[in-house]
Amino acid sequence: RFQIQRGKTDPTSYKSLGDCFRTIFQREGLLGFYKGILPPVLAETPKRAVKFFTFEQYKKLLGYASLQPGLAFAVAGLGSGLTEAVVVNPFEVVKVTLQTNRNAFTEQPSSFVQARQIIKTDGLGLHGLNKGLTATLGRHGVFNMVYFGFYFNVKNILPVNKDPNLEFLRKFGIGLVSGTIASIINIPFDVAKSRIQGPQPVPGEIKYRTCFKTMATVYKEEG
């Protein structure tokens, strides 16, 4: 919701995270927080399988390229993220469409009805069920590149602790920092994806069309 609103001039803008929670609860009920939950649930298993399987495969391939381990992890992460994005993008289109719907949960169509409607209206291509693919490629590619690159490099630098509790905290801390940094770096792609896949400001007119053009427009208009 934050990503699709267009600054403070947007009449439907939320003042803060707390205001967003309160408004959704008051206008759309408790189930309003669970809109679009089915697509990510359905995508989670193939997404994780593709992510880690392809990461290992890319890592093996890069072993023949004589790259430094740190760089190899980052490039393998980039490859796995790009592959993962192709799998999850159709699910993301349906999810964003459902989550931007401000009607009550019971009034909106189901995930399957929404998917069929998108296919019927715009098809399976880059204007339909695969809309915003470039932004999704950027989001997952950049995230995985930074995450895997940072995680494995730092994990190899910090010494292993013999105490299992401290070793757990070491890995947890590295993962937490890796995910935080990766999220901060990839969020512009996520905003662009939401703008492209979500409702356009003027019905019938496409303002947000491509990833980098959308980023440029958001930067120019909203900073």
Side-chain angles (χ1 to χ4, degrees):
R1 293 292 177 91
F2 274 110
Q3 289 177 343
I4 62 166
Q5 64 189 29
R6 296 167 295 282
K8 295 179 180 178
T9 56
D10 190 333
T12 58
S13 67
Y14 301 102
K15 299 179 181 66
S16 64
L17 184 61
D19 177 59
C20 182
F21 270 95
R22 283 192 300 273
T23 304
I24 291 175
F25 180 73
Q26 290 169 357
R27 296 181 181 176
E28 302 166 42
L30 182 62
L31 291 177
F33 296 112
Y34 294 93
K35 288 180 176 180
I37 191 172
L38 186 58
V41 167
L42 294 176
E44 196 59 31
T45 300
K47 170 186 170 182
R48 297 298 174 189
V50 168
K51 181 191 188 94
F52 290 104
F53 174 75
T54 56
F55 175 73
E56 292 299 326
Q57 299 310 307
Y58 288 130
K59 195 168 64 172
K60 287 178 184 177
L61 288 172
L62 290 166
Y64 298 108
S66 300
L67 293 176
Q68 292 182 345
L71 181 59
F73 285 130
V75 175
L78 174 63
S80 71
L82 295 175
T83 311
E84 176 189 28
V86 175
V87 175
V88 304
N89 193 65
F91 296 94
E92 286 290 317
V93 171
V94 178
K95 183 195 77 169
V96 170
T97 306
L98 291 170
Q99 289 181 344
T100 55
N101 187 328
R102 292 172 183 266
N103 293 329
F105 184 89
T106 53
E107 296 174 0
Q108 71 171 186
S110 68
S111 297
F112 294 106
V113 170
Q114 187 67 67
R116 282 197 299 268
Q117 182 61 39
I118 293 170
I119 295 169
K120 182 180 178 181
T121 307
D122 300 305
L124 294 166
L126 297 177
H127 297 294
L129 204 59
N130 270 292
K131 183 166 54 174
L133 178 60
T134 18
T136 307
L137 287 168
R139 182 180 80 157
H140 288 267
V142 169
F143 182 91
N144 285 5
M145 179 179 69
V146 175
Y147 182 83
F148 283 117
F150 186 91
Y151 181 84
F152 283 104
N153 278 291
V154 174
K155 188 166 76 75
N156 291 333
I157 293 170
L158 296 179
V160 176
N161 203 301
K162 292 181 180 179
D163 186 324
N165 293 325
L166 293 176
E167 177 60 13
F168 167 77
L169 289 174
R170 181 184 77 100
K171 290 181 177 178
F172 179 83
I174 297 169
L176 180 67
V177 174
S178 302
T180 302
I181 294 172
S183 295
I184 290 169
I185 294 173
N186 92 324
I187 195 70
F189 290 96
D190 201 27
V191 172
K193 184 189 78 69
S194 297
R195 293 290 176 97
I196 295 168
Q197 294 176 347
Q200 299 293 316
V202 180
E205 294 181 15
I206 300 178
K207 179 178 181 178
Y208 305 111
R209 192 179 297 274
T210 62
C211 177
F212 292 106
K213 190 176 179 181
T214 298
M215 284 186 185
T217 301
V218 172
Y219 175 74
K220 182 180 177 182
E221 296 182 352
E222 301 166 43

